[in-house]
Amino acid sequence: MKSTLDDAPDHEAPTLCANSRGQPWTVSGFRASWRKLRIQLEKQNLIEPGLTLYGLRHTVATILREIGLNDRDLAAALGHETEAMGTALCKRG
């Protein structure tokens, strides 16, 4: 993950990832981009059909926890207001 983030374009967005203009994603912009990518990945059999953004968010939270992020850093990476929100997301199955 570190190498992926290191290779990402520089941006001024107050979030972990930014859109192609270096700005934070809007909800509709992210959904549209995610839909295109999801369809492409499904056609290539790289993901199972029907993967949702919530499911993807849960997976990211779990991976971040497994690589050692503490509660504060996990909450910051996921854009949560409290540490408990990220911790709860990791515990859901």
Side-chain angles (χ1 to χ4, degrees):
M1 182 173 170
K2 182 179 181 330
S3 64
T4 299
L5 291 173
D6 287 345
D7 292 341
D10 289 335
H11 62 81
E12 297 297 321
T15 56
L16 190 59
C17 300
N19 64 24
S20 60
R21 295 182 314 279
Q23 298 298 311
W25 285 95
T26 63
V27 172
S28 60
F30 189 82
R31 280 193 181 133
S33 294
W34 163 246
R35 181 180 180 279
K36 290 177 192 175
L37 176 61
R38 181 183 49 82
I39 290 169
Q40 180 183 18
L41 294 173
E42 286 175 359
K43 286 180 181 178
Q44 296 173 7
N45 293 318
L46 295 173
I47 63 169
E48 295 291 323
L51 179 64
T52 65
L53 286 174
Y54 179 79
L56 184 61
R57 183 179 175 99
H58 174 80
T59 300
V60 168
T62 300
I63 291 169
L64 292 174
R65 169 65 70 207
E66 288 174 354
I67 64 172
L69 259 68
N70 61 39
D71 290 344
R72 182 177 43 89
D73 291 340
L74 179 65
L78 296 173
H80 290 154
E81 292 182 17
T82 68
E83 293 176 11
M85 293 171 75
T87 302
L89 186 61
C90 290
K91 292 180 181 176
R92 294 182 192 154

